[in-house]
């Protein structure tokens, strides 16, 4: 499925809940957000129907996300339902890891291809400062449990928080030294509460720090994930180090993804608020052909790039990351 800039859109991130059991400082306020009524959230059957239509258009990769997807009951069953759709060949899940240990067996048996664990600190004090909750031990235990399933790829995602977690980056990268874990560093995008944590800690800066700590790195070619991230290999490391650098190394020209919010809004670009209301189409009796046509139009009109660094107001997304499904 090609958009107007001839990019092949093959990947969708699907939020299945706006709820979360952490309160990360860059994602939501300490008291949480006003939660969406459960009846306004897409059912698993509705999500599966949309995935089946999208698969017929060329979408082959699905990421299950939230909020925290594992706070929704039977998330593994949704993975199974989506993985069984002809044309869908990769289903992954992003989680904060708190509940992952208890559900990892079910997720693996359902066919989960990879789990991405969000982890911004390895010290208990910093973990609790960022998440406003306890649970670091559970996250680390869940990571090691996930590694017991050879068919499930394990990644750790660390957000670069200016003025907050700089001293954690080198230790977090070290998780990839003795484990077959890919550690990825994500530049903070100026959306919602994250705006105040954007800084100059770019991919090049972090790579320099890692090479000072661990030795020379080799740049790797090719794609090792579903999206346009870049990777390096540090000598002696079992896992790779990746970078998702939407600001310093703008990758919009290679963007292959769209997003579906928990309420069923199809978003072609994270920064902008426009898109299409899939939930209304599903519940108003629209046919698969009608829904598919609107999907095609929405994806075709995907913007050429984000404009985070420009002074531009019209059409910007005002919701927080937890509400979008970041």
């Amino acid at each position: 499925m090609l958009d107007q800039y001839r990019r092949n859109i093959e990947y969708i991130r699907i939020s299945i809940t706006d709820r979360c059991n952490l309160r990360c400082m860059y994602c939501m306020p300490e008291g949480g957000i006003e939660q969406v009524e459960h009846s306004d959230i897409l059912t698993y059957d509705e999500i599966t129907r949309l995935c089946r239509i999208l698969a017929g258009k060329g979408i082959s990769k699905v990421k299950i996300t939230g909020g925290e997807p594992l706070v929704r009951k039977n998330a593994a069953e949704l993975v199974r339902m989506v993985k069984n759709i002809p044309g869908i060949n990769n289903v992954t899940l992003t989680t904060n890891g708190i509940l992952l240990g208890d559900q990892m067996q079910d997720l693996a048996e359902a066919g989960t291809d990879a789990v991405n664990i969000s982890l911004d600190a390895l010290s208990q004090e910093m973990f609790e400062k960022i998440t406003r909750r306890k649970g670091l031990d559970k996250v680390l235990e869940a990571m090691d449990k996930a590694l017991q399933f050879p068919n499930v790829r394990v990644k750790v995602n660390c957000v670069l928080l200016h003025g907050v977690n700089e001293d954690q980056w080198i230790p977090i990268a070290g998780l990839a030294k003795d484990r077959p874990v890919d550690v990825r560093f994500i530049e903070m995008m100026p959306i919602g509460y994250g705006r105040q944590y954007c800084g100059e800690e770019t991919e090049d800066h972090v790579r320099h720090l890692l090479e000072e700590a661990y030795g020379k790195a080799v740049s790797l070619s090719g794609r090792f994930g579903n999206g346009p991230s870049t990777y390096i290999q540090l000598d002696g490391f079992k896992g790779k180090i990746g970078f998702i650098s939407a600001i310093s190394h703008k990758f919009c020209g290679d963007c292959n993804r769209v997003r579906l919010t928990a309420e069923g809004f199809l978003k072609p670009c994270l920064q902008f608020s426009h898109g299409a209301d899939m939930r209304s189409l599903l519940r108003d009796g629209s046919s698969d052909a009608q829904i598919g046509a609107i999907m095609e139009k929405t994806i075709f009109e995907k913007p050429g790039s984000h404009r985070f660094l420009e002074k531009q107001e019209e059409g910007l997304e005002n919701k927080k990351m937890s509400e979008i499904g970041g």
Side-chain angles (χ1 to χ4, degrees):
M1 184 157 45
L2 302 179
D3 68 6
Q4 60 184 319
Y5 299 99
R6 306 297 294 174
R7 292 171 297 194
N8 181 23
I9 310 304
E10 58 182 351
Y11 173 32
I12 186 167
R13 293 175 62 99
I14 299 176
S15 171
I16 64 172
T17 180
D18 63 332
R19 289 163 168 74
C20 189
N21 47 0
L22 299 182
R23 294 292 181 268
C24 294
M25 56 169 58
Y26 55 88
C27 189
M28 65 171 66
E30 188 168 3
I33 60 173
E34 183 177 351
Q35 296 178 337
V36 176
E37 293 292 332
H38 189 70
S39 59
D40 291 331
I41 300 289
L42 293 186
T43 67
Y44 286 172
D45 285 339
E46 288 172 329
I47 292 171
T48 302
R49 182 184 174 194
L50 291 179
C51 287
R52 187 174 293 110
I53 298 170
L54 286 164
K57 306 295 181 182
I59 294 289
S60 61
K61 305 171 183 178
V62 176
K63 170 83 70 185
I64 305 298
T65 182
E68 168 50 45
L70 297 184
V71 302
R72 184 165 176 180
K73 293 181 179 179
N74 301 319
E77 181 57 27
L78 175 63
V79 171
R80 190 186 310 278
M81 293 164 69
V82 174
K83 192 69 185 287
N84 284 334
I85 296 172
I88 301 295
N89 56 36
N90 189 273
V91 179
T92 61
L93 180 135
T94 291
T95 173
N96 60 35
I98 299 293
L99 301 174
L100 179 61
D102 291 337
Q103 300 186 41
M104 191 60 234
Q105 179 84 37
D106 291 340
L107 288 167
E109 291 176 355
T112 304
D113 293 287
V115 291
N116 293 7
I117 302 171
S118 300
L119 181 61
D120 302 320
L122 280 181
S123 79
Q124 188 69 51
E125 181 181 6
M126 181 59 68
F127 181 89
E128 293 178 17
K129 176 181 179 179
I130 294 172
T131 67
R132 303 188 179 105
R133 296 289 189 273
K134 297 181 182 297
L136 177 60
D137 291 345
K138 286 186 176 181
V139 177
L140 296 176
E141 290 169 5
M143 177 186 64
D144 287 331
K145 183 167 184 178
L147 288 169
Q148 297 174 17
F149 297 89
N151 293 328
V152 180
R153 187 175 175 187
V154 181
K155 302 178 185 178
V156 169
N157 290 342
C158 173
V159 178
L160 303 174
L161 300 172
H162 177 68
V164 181
N165 69 341
E166 289 96 332
D167 64 342
Q168 301 294 302
W169 303 340
I170 291 174
I172 288 175
L175 292 172
K177 184 173 178 60
D178 300 318
R179 302 174 177 86
V181 170
D182 292 343
V183 174
R184 308 188 306 172
F185 293 96
I186 303 174
E187 287 182 0
M188 174 57 69
M189 289 183 284
I191 290 180
Y193 296 103
R195 289 187 178 93
Q196 61 187 302
Y197 303 111
C198 294
E200 297 180 356
E201 291 80 11
T202 64
E203 174 179 331
D204 296 336
H205 173 67
V206 176
R207 175 170 177 162
H208 175 72
L209 293 177
L210 296 180
E211 288 188 316
E212 282 190 332
Y214 295 114
K216 188 68 175 176
V218 176
S219 297
L220 302 176
S221 60
R223 179 167 284 183
F224 297 94
N226 288 337
S229 51
T230 60
Y231 283 85
I232 61 174
Q233 185 70 58
L234 290 163
D235 188 42
F237 273 52
K238 290 185 176 180
K240 296 182 290 296
I241 304 297
F243 299 94
I244 301 175
S245 308
I247 307 301
S248 68
H249 291 65
K250 192 173 182 179
F251 49 67
C252 297
D254 294 320
C255 186
N256 63 338
R257 76 181 66 177
V258 292
R259 296 167 185 265
L260 183 71
T261 71
E263 296 172 89
F265 192 76
L266 182 64
K267 285 176 60 67
C269 180
L270 177 65
Q271 186 186 17
F272 299 98
S273 59
H274 71 270
D277 182 0
M278 297 289 105
R279 185 184 66 195
S280 293
L281 295 172
L282 289 166
R283 298 181 182 181
D284 288 347
S286 297
S287 67
D288 287 1
Q290 291 170 321
I291 294 172
I294 292 176
M295 286 175 168
E296 287 185 5
K297 180 177 185 297
T298 302
I299 292 174
F300 181 79
E301 294 173 352
K302 179 178 169 68
S305 69
H306 70 68
R307 282 174 270 179
F308 285 125
L309 302 181
E310 300 176 21
K311 292 184 178 179
Q312 191 259 358
E313 298 295 333
E314 184 177 355
L316 294 185
E317 179 60 80
N318 292 316
K319 291 185 177 181
K320 310 300 183 289
M321 288 295 284
S322 57
E323 299 171 290
I324 299 170

